[in-house]
Amino acid sequence: MQYAHTFLPKARHILLAACASAAMMTAQAQTAAAPASPSAPAVSPNDPRLPLVQRLLELWHVENVAITMVQRPAITTVEQAKMALQGRVSDEKQLRVMKDIAPDVQKYIDDATPIVKADAHQVVKETLTPLLLQNFNETELKQIIALLESPVKKKFEELVPSMEKALGERVVKDCATQITPLMQTMAQNVGTKLKAATANPN
């Protein structure tokens, strides 16, 4: 298993670089997408619609989009680590390495999430509040809140995971004989090319 020992340090550097690159791209995308504060409409602190907007944003949880984006590199890193190890080390060693990686990934999530969450709350307040006030009157805001608070909506959302699971299991069952060979071919081809690339880095 000499090959595995020489490959793992390289794999870790590649994974860390990929993670850092993804995080930078996320930050750049957020910066580019954020509207300039001078162009945001002015908000009057006496606007009677402000409590309605605050309630709407509490129900919407739109800041979860930013949180998901910043956590995505962690998921990608784990997936890439599994791919890098698969077929190159024993199953037992793969499990040990993945357990060793897990605290690093979790630390990134634990450190990054509060930073983004705090910033997202502020950005939501500064950017979305004036836009909502600019585009919706009091009656419309109340209608949106009623929709978000609807028991029927809550019931539907609670059922979504079960429906998605049922759909996924059925599709996997129906297509397994066709999809499995395709997945195996893909994994084999990618593994062969990775092995060749790491064996001859020049």
Side-chain angles (χ1 to χ4, degrees), residues 116-185:
V116 173
K117 189 173 183 179
D119 184 70
H121 279 298
Q122 186 62 30
V123 171
V124 165
K125 180 180 178 181
E126 294 177 356
T127 61
L128 300 191
T129 296
L131 289 174
L132 288 168
L133 291 172
Q134 186 181 38
N135 288 278
F136 296 99
N137 58 38
E138 186 173 351
T139 300
E140 291 170 333
L141 289 170
K142 288 180 179 179
Q143 290 175 347
I144 297 172
I145 291 172
L147 175 64
L148 294 175
E149 290 180 329
S150 168
V152 175
K153 174 181 177 289
K154 183 179 179 181
K155 184 177 180 180
F156 176 77
E157 289 177 341
E158 290 175 348
L159 188 61
V160 165
S162 298
M163 293 190 293
E164 290 177 343
K165 181 181 178 183
L167 172 64
E169 289 176 349
R170 177 59 187 272
V171 170
V172 168
K173 181 180 178 181
D174 289 348
C175 302
T177 56
Q178 296 172 284
I179 297 299
T180 300
L182 298 176
M183 291 175 60
Q184 291 173 342
T185 300

Side-chain angles (χ1 to χ4, degrees), residues 34-53:
S37 53
S39 63
V43 175
S44 169
N46 299 322
D47 193 317
R49 296 171 297 164
L50 273 178
L52 294 173
V53 169

Side-chain angles (χ1 to χ4, degrees), residues 5-17:
H5 290 293
T6 57
F7 175 81
L8 286 175
K10 296 179 182 178
R12 175 160 291 191
H13 287 302
I14 293 170
L15 295 176
L16 291 174

